[in-house]
Amino acid sequence: RQIEAARALLGEEPAPGRRAALGVADAHLALMPGQEHRCPSETERAAREAAEIAEAEGLPVVACQAWQLLALLLRESGFDAADACLERMLALSTDHDLPVWRVEALVRLGANAFMRTGDSSRLRSARAAAVELGALLLTQTVDGLLAMNAVLCARWDEAQEIIDRSLEASARVGNHSAHRYLLLSTATMAAHRGRRRDMDRSLAAFKRAGGEQSLLVPHQLGLCKAIGALLEEDRERALEKLDAVLAWEQDHPSYFYLSGSYGLRPLLRVLTGAADGAEFTAVRGSPGAQLAWNGQFLELAEAVLLGRDGDRSGAARLVASFDARATPFPVARHLGLRLVADAARTDGWGEPVAWLRRAEEFFYGIGVQPVASACRAALRQAGASVTQHRGGWDRIPLSLRTSGVTPREYEVFVLLPERPGNQQIARRLSISPRTVEKHMASLLSKTGRADRSALCEFAAECAVEVEPA
């Protein structure tokens, strides 16, 4: 309405500079929900025209606004084109002594570098520049990006420190976009650690902050909920979330590529046999495939396809490449090994037993019992010996340990706050329902609880008192 009012005030032939300023504001609206009818190429054309006119008319701020928008739109053409726009923005802001816009350019360049490589060093430099400038809102924006980077790289303490520093502060000053991103980072960290209750709590706060009406919905579904489902060994639910991401992205313009559509979803579809080589090739040629987070999953998907076609050495070579590429992302790295091990064993390629051992050790170490148990079950099926982790006693709280609760029983106990059924527990821990019944009976006896409901309440109390490893 304001843009239409401005057009009416300016008349049919506004001055070029005013037309450019109005054009770049109007083009920004194309990114918002409810504007799906707009043609992306027309939006890109309008933004580029605004940038060129603004530079010609000596309006560097408007030009910076236009180049920043173009950098986002041109991600569809590849990140090299996007970065070229940001470099132009950086040069303009430096030449015209516009420190806020200079830091904006540094932030966007740092964000692109983080997505392409997983390296956050440019983001850290951008944050230092924002702090030096006293740009509080920009600093909080960078903190959100740095928190998510730390989450994906499994640097939990660092992520929590950043969130503690900026979460409440961003709410106080009304920095809604940064606040939502920090809330989503909190939920994603819980999901990547296999902590469903913490994830649900953080997602409830994200919803209250308007997150489900924001452009972060794909990240919520894919980067957070789908990974959480995989760490509960529920691939069907993970694919449901990733399908929902794709449906959302088809109805909304989206220039953010970490949601799973360009990496994790293709891998899961290849594993289920739902995706063929043509579907994989189409995704491989997309801009989202350039990102480090996505590329690691695409290498695994290609490995599975090659192994299925009988190219065993090619498949093994790709997993070795994945192993090196995924080094910055420990959870994704070991989850990937877990995901492809069954296919490799079925098709007779690679080292699935070694991969399962590595994944089991990692997920046991961070306390994600469903995946660790599934790895142990897969190892037994492969005829391999299985480590029982008798040293797992140190994970059990002293009060339970002195009651005689065993590590295997504790694996069941830590799931009880969610009040799952025996079948659900059995599926998540890759054990039989009968074994679950035995563990439940033993837990009732050893904890002195009268019934299952009381045991679940006790487990919830223990979960609050003792943070799992």
Side-chain angles (χ1 to χ4, degrees):
R1 288 197 301 268
Q2 291 174 347
I3 283 174
E4 289 306 316
R7 284 201 176 104
L9 288 170
L10 291 172
E12 293 186 3
E13 295 187 14
R18 291 185 180 273
R19 189 170 81 247
L22 188 61
V24 74
D26 187 40
H28 267 95
L29 287 182
L31 304 181
M32 303 304 292
Q35 300 296 311
E36 295 79 18
H37 60 280
R38 294 199 180 208
C39 175
S41 61
E42 282 299 306
T43 302
E44 180 186 327
R45 182 197 59 75
R48 188 175 295 280
E49 181 182 72
E52 293 170 352
I53 292 174
E55 287 201 36
E57 293 293 312
L59 299 171
V61 170
V62 176
C64 285
Q65 292 172 333
W67 286 119
Q68 182 176 350
L69 175 60
L70 263 175
L72 191 58
L73 297 173
L74 286 176
R75 284 182 177 179
E76 279 294 308
S77 303
F79 278 75
D80 288 340
D83 281 353
C85 293
L86 293 173
E87 292 291 356
R88 180 62 189 153
M89 177 185 171
L90 181 61
L92 272 173
S93 58
T94 302
D95 292 345
H96 291 273
D97 195 22
L98 300 171
V100 172
W101 288 101
R102 179 177 176 275
V103 173
E104 281 275 9
L106 292 172
V107 169
R108 306 305 163 189
L109 284 164
N112 283 1
F114 142 57
M115 290 196 295
R116 294 175 81 171
T117 67
D119 182 8
S120 62
S121 57
R122 291 194 72 173
L123 265 180
R124 295 177 191 282
S125 297
R127 185 184 190 278
V131 170
E132 183 179 358
L133 182 63
L136 177 62
L137 301 187
L138 269 176
T139 301
Q140 292 171 346
T141 296
V142 181
D143 274 349
L145 296 169
L146 286 172
M148 188 63 82
N149 173 262
V151 168
L152 298 186
C153 296
R155 298 193 302 269
W156 315 126
D157 291 343
E158 178 185 330
Q160 192 62 57
E161 181 183 347
I162 295 168
I163 291 164
D164 290 344
R165 179 172 68 210
S166 286
L167 182 61
E168 295 305 321
S170 60
R172 282 198 303 272
V173 300
N175 191 355
H176 302 302
S177 60
H179 185 65
R180 291 177 190 133
Y181 202 79
L182 286 159
L183 286 171
L184 184 59
S185 298
T186 306
T188 304
M189 177 163 62
H192 286 220
R193 303 180 80 176
R195 300 180 179 180
R196 166 83 82 87
R197 294 174 74 234
D198 290 345
M199 180 191 79
D200 289 344
R201 230 180 348 253
S202 296
L203 286 179
F206 175 74
K207 181 178 181 179
R208 289 194 298 271
E212 294 187 353
Q213 284 74 51
S214 74
L215 297 177
L216 295 174
V217 169
H219 282 33
Q220 174 201 21
L221 292 169
L223 200 59
C224 183
K225 289 187 175 182
I227 295 288
L230 288 175
L231 296 190
E232 293 178 354
E233 283 291 312
D234 191 340
R235 298 188 192 184
E236 183 177 347
R237 180 158 56 92
L239 256 177
E240 286 176 3
K241 301 302 180 185
L242 292 166
D243 288 344
V245 169
L246 189 64
W248 191 96
E249 291 174 340
Q250 287 172 342
D251 291 336
H252 302 79
S254 180
Y255 303 93
F256 305 97
Y257 300 115
L258 294 179
S259 57
S261 296
Y262 303 92
L264 186 56
R265 182 176 182 271
L267 171 59
L268 292 181
R269 282 178 58 78
V270 164
L271 287 169
T272 62
D276 56 15
E279 180 178 326
F280 170 79
T281 301
V283 175
R284 182 58 116 176
S286 66
Q290 299 176 18
L291 305 189
W293 179 259
N294 295 329
Q296 58 185 345
F297 295 120
L298 290 178
E299 281 199 315
L300 290 179
E302 187 174 2
V304 172
L305 288 171
L306 288 179
R308 199 170 286 162
D309 288 341
D311 186 354
R312 298 177 180 179
S313 61
R317 194 161 51 245
L318 279 171
V319 174
S321 175
F322 155 82
D323 206 15
R325 179 197 284 258
T327 300
F329 310 117
V331 171
R333 184 186 195 186
H334 293 89
L335 179 61
L337 294 175
R338 157 70 188 126
L339 289 172
V340 301
D342 291 343
R345 188 163 67 88
T346 299
D347 295 328
W349 59 272
E351 301 177 10
V353 168
W355 301 338
L356 286 168
R357 289 195 194 284
R358 285 176 54 192
E360 192 276 340
E361 183 178 353
F362 174 80
F363 286 111
Y364 179 83
I366 65 170
V368 181
Q369 294 296 345
V371 183
S373 296
C375 289
R376 287 196 289 272
L379 284 167
R380 292 189 192 96
Q381 291 172 3
S385 60
V386 179
T387 302
Q388 294 301 320
H389 294 296
R390 297 302 180 188
W393 292 98
D394 60 339
R395 295 183 178 280
I396 305 174
L398 181 61
S399 59
L400 295 176
R401 209 160 56 230
T402 54
S403 298
V405 173
T406 69
R408 287 300 183 87
E409 291 165 354
Y410 189 61
E411 290 180 6
V412 173
F413 184 80
V414 296
L415 299 178
L416 294 183
E418 300 169 22
R419 296 180 181 266
N422 284 358
Q423 292 282 354
Q424 196 175 354
I425 295 172
R427 186 168 61 251
R428 289 176 64 177
L429 296 181
S430 296
I431 56 180
S432 71
R434 178 62 182 149
T435 301
V436 176
E437 289 179 16
K438 290 180 179 178
H439 288 329
M440 289 295 296
S442 181
L443 285 167
L444 286 168
S445 173
K446 291 178 180 179
T447 62
R449 264 48 190 184
D451 53 32
R452 187 187 186 104
S453 179
L455 183 62
C456 290
E457 290 176 5
F458 178 52
E461 293 169 8
C462 289
V464 172
E465 294 173 3
V466 181
E467 179 94 347

